[in-house]
Amino acid sequence: MSTQDEIEALVARLDAADAFPGAAELRDRSYRLLGLRTGARVVDVGCGAGRAVAEMTESGADAVGVDVAEPMLRIARRRWPGSDFRMAGAYTLPFEAGTMDGYRADKVYHELRDPVRAVREARRVLAPGGRIALVGQDWDTLVVDAADGTLTRAIVHARAETIPSPRVARRYRALLLDAGFTDVAVEVRTAVLTGAGALPLLTGLAGAARAAGAVTEEQAAAWAAEQTDRSRTDRLFVAVPMFVASATR
């Protein structure tokens, strides 16, 4: 698969996630935790296809999106031509120290091998009194209704272990405190998914577990088939706890 194919597949997954119940409310909650005001300078780290940057810009903020993937940035610029997008990673942001009023990272830190370095960089670019909001799921706490609970736990755990920092969301509070942030708070918003749109997430879990050697091909196929049948009969159920951490520089 080419890089462009991978990017397009990722964008499709992000678009699907944006359509999940409660996704828009969760984004709005993160904006409110930043205390956005007209003219406030805010960076969205790992901005992806740029929806959050466009929404914050529309609210009056001076929002900038950064991402490490140039193909992703091209998509963001095409979708939201009035917004500001730049190529940069979470460890080295293109801003002077103390120049940002807000920092947001949504479903990003689990992809980082060194979240500590990223949160220190967040503190560097934020002005005194600036706000940070981190949003993400703990990949080891997905709740899936399935006949075989032991197999389900093995599949969820195996998928988590393929991710650089799968349990970083439960560490948000400690990360922020250790970096010197104050007013640290954490909320949990659970997304409940029952429609066919959640099926790719589940079949992806099974495929990753099989590829990792945690389950056999037969086990993965049977588990995925059960979830496919549940989707057809409106019996699919997935709960995804989303952690929202906020703090002050």
Side-chain angles (χ1 to χ4, degrees):
M1 181 182 288
S2 71
T3 299
Q4 188 60 41
D5 288 336
E6 291 172 347
I7 291 295
E8 290 177 358
L10 175 57
V11 170
R13 291 195 298 271
L14 292 173
D15 286 344
D18 282 343
F20 282 158
E25 290 80 3
L26 189 64
R27 289 197 307 277
D28 183 66
R29 179 57 179 160
S30 72
Y31 307 154
R32 286 186 281 121
L33 288 169
L34 290 176
L36 294 184
R37 63 184 186 280
T38 301
R41 294 201 70 201
V42 58
V43 58
D44 191 49
V45 177
C47 64
R51 184 183 303 275
V53 174
E55 290 177 343
M56 289 189 289
T57 299
E58 186 176 348
S59 75
D62 181 7
V64 181
V66 302
D67 203 284
V68 295
E70 181 59 37
M72 184 71 79
L73 292 171
R74 286 198 295 269
I75 293 171
R77 291 174 183 130
R78 184 172 68 244
R79 287 187 173 186
W80 317 104
S83 296
D84 186 355
F85 298 102
R86 308 179 194 180
M87 188 172 181
Y91 303 145
T92 310
L93 296 173
F95 310 110
E96 297 294 328
T99 57
M100 306 303 289
D101 300 303
Y103 172 107
R104 179 181 182 274
D106 185 351
K107 297 184 286 295
V108 173
Y109 272 42
H110 67 264
E111 295 288 356
L112 303 178
R113 296 196 179 278
D114 192 353
V116 171
R117 183 179 174 189
V119 81
R120 286 175 179 166
E121 177 68 353
R123 191 174 190 277
R124 182 190 71 81
V125 301
L126 282 170
R131 294 282 291 168
I132 183 172
L134 305 177
V135 183
Q137 68 269 47
D138 186 311
W139 281 86
D140 229 359
T141 58
L142 301 182
V143 179
V144 184
D145 188 15
D148 189 332
T150 301
L151 177 60
T152 301
R153 285 191 294 274
I155 287 173
V156 170
H157 181 70
R159 173 66 177 103
E161 291 307 306
T162 68
I163 296 169
S165 298
R167 289 168 287 278
V168 70
R170 68 182 70 173
R171 294 175 53 206
Y172 282 163
R173 182 175 183 274
L175 283 172
L176 292 166
L177 289 170
D178 289 346
F181 284 89
T182 62
D183 303 320
V184 179
V186 181
E187 305 172 4
V188 182
R189 303 290 184 95
T190 302
V192 176
L193 314 176
T194 59
L199 190 58
L201 168 65
L202 297 173
T203 56
L205 293 177
R210 178 194 55 76
V215 300
T216 67
E217 184 172 350
E218 292 75 16
Q219 287 175 314
W223 192 86
E226 178 194 344
Q227 295 304 321
T228 300
D229 184 63
R230 285 173 175 269
S231 176
R232 293 194 191 104
T233 59
D234 194 25
R235 295 299 182 272
L236 185 147
F237 181 92
V238 188
V240 184
M242 297 295 295
F243 293 76
V244 186
S246 59
T248 302
R249 162 74 161 88

